[in-house]
Structure formats: structure tokens, C-alpha cells
Amino acid sequence: WEGFHGGTARFDQEGNLLSVAWWAKIVSIYVVLFPAFDVVSAFPLNAITLGNNMMGSYYGSKIHEVENNRWARIQFRLLAACPPILLGVWVRELGKITD
């Protein structure tokens, strides 16, 4: 999709791309960046949900006593959110994790 031109491209004699319509560039950028924006928008929801579930697992039946404790909620949510961020900064190639 990086080379998308929507049929509006002009080429020189050697086949090199000279120009593309502005709207074709916008479509190309949108399609290329959409997966990254989608993941970034879903990450906070997943981290909050995982943090809440971890808190429920840790406290068990006593969860109702601490569920309104803001500091405890923040700690568990940070515990869920920080490892993926730190590993994302540290590991640049996904193949190192998946292989």
C-alpha cells in the first residue's frame, strides 16, 4: 500500500514515479498506519481489564474491601501495562519473541 496511486500516477520514460494525486497519498498513509492506531487505541482497555482481573485474583473474596482503593487499582493496572511497553522499547524485532 505504500506504492498505492489509485490510477493517478504519472511515470517518466524509465518507469519512475513522478507524481500521485493527493487523495491517493492520504489513502496510502491511512491504510499503512491503521493497524498501529488500532493497537494503540485498544492497549489501554486491555491493560485496565488485565489489571482489574489481576487485582481480583490477588485479593479473591476480599476484593470488595479494596476495590475502591485507588492506589491498589493503579498499582495493578501499572503492573499490567508496563511490561509490554518496556519490552516494546527493548525488543525491536518481533521475530526474537516469536521464534
Side-chain angles (χ1 to χ4, degrees):
W1 280 96
E2 289 179 27
F4 176 75
H5 53 77
T8 64
R10 291 185 332 154
F11 298 96
D12 63 7
Q13 297 295 338
E14 298 171 359
N16 297 323
L17 186 65
L18 293 177
S19 66
V20 176
W22 63 270
W23 61 267
K25 290 180 184 177
I26 291 173
V27 169
S28 173
I29 291 170
Y30 178 78
V31 169
V32 169
L33 294 179
F34 180 77
F37 288 139
D38 187 44
V39 169
V40 168
S41 67
F43 178 75
L45 298 172
N46 292 332
I48 289 170
T49 302
L50 178 59
N52 290 346
N53 287 336
M54 289 169 52
M55 187 171 157
S57 295
Y58 183 77
Y59 287 109
S61 61
K62 296 181 182 182
I63 186 66
H64 298 293
E65 298 172 12
V66 293
E67 67 184 352
N68 292 327
N69 184 346
R70 183 178 173 100
W71 180 244
R73 277 196 332 255
I74 289 172
Q75 285 180 330
F76 279 99
R77 289 176 180 176
L78 284 175
L79 185 64
C82 288
I85 292 171
L86 294 175
L87 286 173
V89 169
W90 186 48
V91 177
R92 295 289 183 185
E93 295 181 29
L94 189 60
K96 291 182 182 178
I97 297 172
T98 59
D99 289 342

